[in-house]
Amino acid sequence: MTSHAQITDSFDVIIVGSGAGALSAAVFAADNGMSVLVVEKSDKYGGTSALSGGGIWIPNNDYFKVKGGDDSYEKSLTYLKASTNGRVAESKLRAYLDNASEMINYLEKHSRVRYAVAEKYPDYYPHLPGSLAGGRTLDPELYDTGELGEELDNLRAASPTTLLMGKIAWTARDAHKAIAKESGWRLMILWLMLRYKLDFRWRKKQNTKRDRRAALGSSLIASLRKSLMDRNIPLWLNTDFRDFIMDGDRVAGIKVVREGVEQVIKAKQGVIVGAGGFEQNQALREKYLPQPTKVEWSATPPGQNQGAALEAGQKLGAATDLLDWAWWAPTMRVPKEEKARGLFAERAFPGAVIVNALGKRFVNEADPYLEFGDAMYRDNEKTGGKSIPAWVVFDSHFRFNYAMGPLMPAQIMPDSRLPKAWHKTVYWKAETLDDLASQIGVDSEGLQDTVQRINGFAQTGEDKDFQRGGNVFDRYYGDQNVKPNPCLAPVKKGPFYAMRLDAGDIGTKGGLLTNAQAQVVREDGSAIDGLYAIGNSSASVMGTSYPGAGSTLGPAMTFGYIAVKDLTEKQKVS
Ligand code: FAD
């Protein structure tokens, strides 16, 4: 052993971090007879996973098949290969396909985790072979957090942006119904509000405004946490992983600072790091990510994922990959909110146009968020720094009918009810496009030309420049009542509005390179004995792509499952 700190505890497996992958791995390890410890740096468990949508992309899953859906291993492999475009070893893609469905079936049967299929949520690349128009993304069912008892206090709070009116839990399927204004959406909202109201006794007892039901990522993490409690798996909060300890070439434990005290914990069989990426570390962002880049643009919890696993792994000679990539998403800052908000769906709503400082469009606004963020960087380079920030511009018709970031539709939240501090920090407003352009520093002629051009496209329904609304994914977030193209409407009725978009992220994508068993490998491909990496601590199995909603959590949980399988096999052999 190379440490001076005292060995205070010993477990079969130590899991670093408490996101969805880490907690799932803890369940799998315990069920395979291993003693497990989970260590979490923060005073809350759940990480970014807890405030996420909780969606998992599980190709060839049984939930869809039970409902008569048509998917297959071969079709999924074709799509994954086309999406990742040679960037990821086929053995890893196959490992994912071999285990993803098995993993979620296991949790559904043996834990508190419950999912349903989002049958209408299309894969993100409908033009690629093997893509499906829905059925591969699974969406968490609501979870009754009353079951957590006092542990509810330690759950990282869901982002208000994911809740109806900032407090009422709803599934992603419900949210989509409302966004797309599908028939029955008003009645559904009334029912959700009524259900919340009727539960006033529970909220009074808990002294909270929070819905008893958790949704999305909060449901996933709460149900996993309860599954750990069912198994008496310890989860240590305020325990900061600092380094690995070695026994020869084998990772034999970790060094942590727990409640301010340095401690060494021994892992008899292995360590699984699920400690997130490095998006909260400005120095590492500057070292690896394209520029400009800022911690403040990330939509992940501040101060947590700072690359500790990456740096400790690099010291052991681990190979890395994809360090110049993040799970890009355009974000915006709102005063008093601790982190940036991602702009996921609103870009596809009809009547919002996104421009650079030249007043020019540079991408299909409705593109998946990863591609949108990537396009910001590419256009920024091409134009010599004109696309970061970019600006989303819309008119009063849009403002009345649709949400944009924190601005609820004006029919619910008119400008007079918006916080004063938001004017010229969150949104800019002017009677004319010319005035708006000068307020935000965008070329006025460029903007007016662009608006005129897109207004023409709105009439014909065909976006001749970027094909917005031209595929099933774009249209998923369009307004089905707008014809001929649910993603296109004219921008013509003042006052006009603009909001600033930064080149943000929902986590980094690169990290320690792993093999098909989730083992961390060296440059020569040999595995580092006893060390596994999952989630954003590892280089993504999706390469530089984002095949469908749930492409970060699905793999995080699945490679947690695979890591435990490998540990179990090794245990049998030794
Ligand atoms: P995390 O969930 O962030 O967990 C890492 C944990 O490790 C944290 O709790 C952190 O505190 C802890 N940690 C860090 N350093 C240390 C240390 N030194 N010692 C101990 N603990 C440490 N992805 C999807 O697949 N589907 C979605 O629906 C989805 N929706 C999203 C919505 C939003 C608004 C956002 C922001 C993200 C969304 N994502 C989604 C992305 C997804 O949430 C993240 O990519 C994912 O949570 C990463 O999982 P992780 O386990 O790697 O990291």
Side-chain angles (χ1 to χ4, degrees):
M1 300 289 164
T2 53
S3 171
H4 301 297
Q6 211 191 336
I7 294 173
T8 47
D9 285 285
S10 172
F11 296 84
D12 290 329
V13 182
I14 298 172
I15 298 172
V16 184
S18 65
L23 296 186
S24 302
V27 169
F28 305 138
D31 289 3
N32 278 282
M34 300 170 200
S35 61
V36 189
L37 170 70
V38 179
V39 298
E40 165 56 52
K41 165 182 172 179
S42 157
D43 61 350
K44 299 276 183 273
Y45 60 85
T48 311
S49 306
L51 45 91
S52 75
I56 54 175
W57 190 75
I58 308 289
N60 200 24
N61 69 71
D62 290 335
Y63 297 71
F64 188 42
K65 288 185 186 159
V66 165
K67 295 217 163 188
D70 179 25
D71 197 3
S72 69
Y73 188 96
E74 282 315 317
K75 210 188 268 183
S76 303
L77 184 61
T78 301
Y79 180 63
L80 260 182
K81 277 182 164 176
S83 303
T84 51
N85 199 18
R87 190 70 170 75
V88 181
E90 185 170 331
S91 58
K92 273 177 79 174
L93 301 181
R94 284 187 181 273
Y96 186 52
L97 286 179
D98 288 339
N99 289 281
S101 177
E102 192 179 303
M103 176 282 296
I104 193 60
N105 286 349
Y106 184 90
L107 283 181
E108 188 86 37
K109 192 159 174 209
H110 299 285
S111 81
R112 308 267 177 166
V113 173
R114 295 289 176 272
Y115 269 92
V117 61
E119 285 167 280
K120 293 184 192 162
Y121 207 155
D123 288 338
Y124 284 2
Y125 309 126
H127 59 287
L128 292 183
S131 67
L132 289 192
R136 287 180 177 151
T137 294
L138 306 180
D139 169 34
E141 297 282 26
L142 300 183
Y143 176 75
D144 181 351
T145 56
E147 294 187 345
L148 284 174
E150 289 179 0
E151 265 303 272
L152 177 56
D153 294 340
N154 296 326
L155 170 65
R156 182 170 292 286
S159 163
T161 57
T162 59
L163 300 166
L164 176 61
M165 297 159 122
K167 57 187 178 193
I168 302 173
W170 57 349
T171 65
R173 285 152 290 145
D174 290 343
H176 176 253
K177 190 171 176 162
I179 288 173
K181 299 197 167 72
E182 285 177 6
S183 80
W185 71 275
R186 282 197 176 86
L187 212 62
M188 177 196 76
I189 288 194
L190 282 178
W191 155 240
L192 293 173
M193 286 165 63
L194 185 69
R195 190 180 60 189
Y196 174 83
K197 282 229 177 293
L198 289 177
D199 203 20
F200 65 93
R201 277 201 192 86
W202 183 82
R203 288 197 305 280
K204 196 167 170 206
K205 200 167 129 213
Q206 298 286 324
N207 191 23
T208 180
K209 284 191 175 147
R210 147 186 224 169
D211 196 330
R212 169 211 294 256
R213 293 160 200 83
L216 311 172
S218 183
S219 161
L220 172 58
I221 291 298
S223 58
L224 279 169
R225 179 70 187 102
K226 180 63 180 167
S227 306
L228 261 69
M229 288 158 74
D230 292 340
R231 292 160 173 80
N232 289 320
I233 301 171
L235 189 165
W236 294 356
L237 296 174
N238 301 306
T239 306
D240 188 2
F241 160 80
R242 294 291 171 88
D243 211 347
F244 299 110
I245 56 161
M246 305 299 290
D247 185 359
D249 275 349
R250 192 178 72 85
V251 169
I254 59 171
K255 194 187 279 182
V256 297
V257 174
R258 186 183 185 196
E259 313 273 3
V261 179
E262 192 172 284
Q263 192 174 330
V264 166
I265 317 164
K266 206 171 155 195
K268 282 176 260 178
Q269 292 181 45
V271 174
I272 302 175
V273 285
F278 60 86
E279 68 276 359
Q280 286 294 326
N281 184 324
Q282 183 63 29
L284 292 185
R285 287 184 83 100
E286 281 169 21
K287 184 166 173 190
Y288 295 121
L289 295 181
Q291 305 302 307
T293 186
K294 281 196 176 154
V295 158
E296 296 80 43
W297 297 345
S298 180
T300 67
Q304 304 306 323
N305 297 340
Q306 295 181 321
L310 171 70
E311 292 190 309
Q314 284 173 320
K315 280 204 278 176
L316 301 184
T320 57
D321 197 14
L322 298 166
L323 292 180
D324 53 346
W325 273 82
W327 299 99
W328 305 121
T331 56
M332 50 176 66
R333 294 290 321 198
V334 177
K336 294 194 186 152
E337 292 191 358
E338 64 161 14
K339 59 188 180 314
R341 289 183 182 225
L343 207 68
F344 301 107
E346 299 95 315
R347 288 173 289 114
F349 297 172
V353 57
I354 298 178
V355 296
N356 59 21
L358 304 170
K360 297 287 174 209
R361 293 173 74 208
F362 53 92
V363 63
N364 170 2
E365 290 86 349
D367 261 1
Y369 29 100
L370 178 96
E371 273 67 29
F372 188 94
D374 187 38
M376 283 178 88
Y377 275 108
R378 280 189 283 115
D379 195 62
N380 202 55
E381 205 175 309
K382 199 169 99 190
T383 57
K386 303 285 188 198
S387 308
I388 300 175
W391 296 88
V392 56
V393 173
F394 46 93
D395 71 356
S396 61
H397 175 78
F398 182 101
R399 171 82 187 95
F400 184 79
N401 288 294
Y402 305 102
M404 180 57 75
L407 306 190
M408 289 295 102
Q411 55 183 304
I412 304 170
M413 192 196 269
D415 290 357
S416 57
R417 284 186 48 205
L418 297 177
K420 292 227 167 358
W422 287 10
H423 188 218
K424 298 204 172 174
T425 56
V426 176
Y427 75 97
W428 284 253
K429 179 180 174 184
E431 288 306 319
T432 63
L433 282 172
D434 185 44
D435 187 9
L436 188 71
S438 77
Q439 284 189 34
I440 59 178
V442 162
D443 183 79
S444 175
E445 241 172 73
L447 177 63
Q448 293 186 58
D449 285 353
T450 297
V451 165
Q452 203 180 6
R453 193 163 166 79
I454 203 165
N455 287 357
F457 298 159
Q459 246 176 7
T460 61
E462 193 192 350
D463 171 6
K464 287 200 172 129
D465 294 336
F466 296 103
Q467 291 75 48
R468 173 168 165 183
N471 67 52
V472 65
F473 172 73
D474 289 9
R475 291 194 294 273
Y476 181 69
Y477 285 124
D479 181 342
Q480 309 313 319
N481 305 307
V482 171
K483 309 269 186 272
N485 183 331
C487 302
L488 286 177
V491 184
K492 62 178 182 198
K493 189 169 179 279
F496 298 96
Y497 296 80
M499 296 173 85
R500 175 194 159 111
L501 297 182
D502 295 315
D505 63 83
I506 55 173
T508 44
K509 211 177 202 305
L512 302 172
L513 186 64
T514 52
N515 60 19
Q517 286 74 43
Q519 291 175 293
V520 176
V521 296
R522 302 181 183 86
E523 289 293 346
D524 64 4
S526 63
I528 299 177
D529 207 9
L531 182 58
Y532 298 79
I534 60 175
N536 293 347
S537 294
S538 62
S540 170
V541 67
M542 300 305 177
T544 60
S545 77
Y546 207 133
S551 293
T552 84
L553 294 173
M557 294 161 72
T558 302
F559 281 96
Y561 185 71
I562 292 171
V564 171
K565 261 191 177 176
D566 194 64
L567 280 164
T568 310
E569 285 302 313
K570 291 202 161 60
Q571 193 181 22
K572 279 189 203 146
V573 175
S574 65

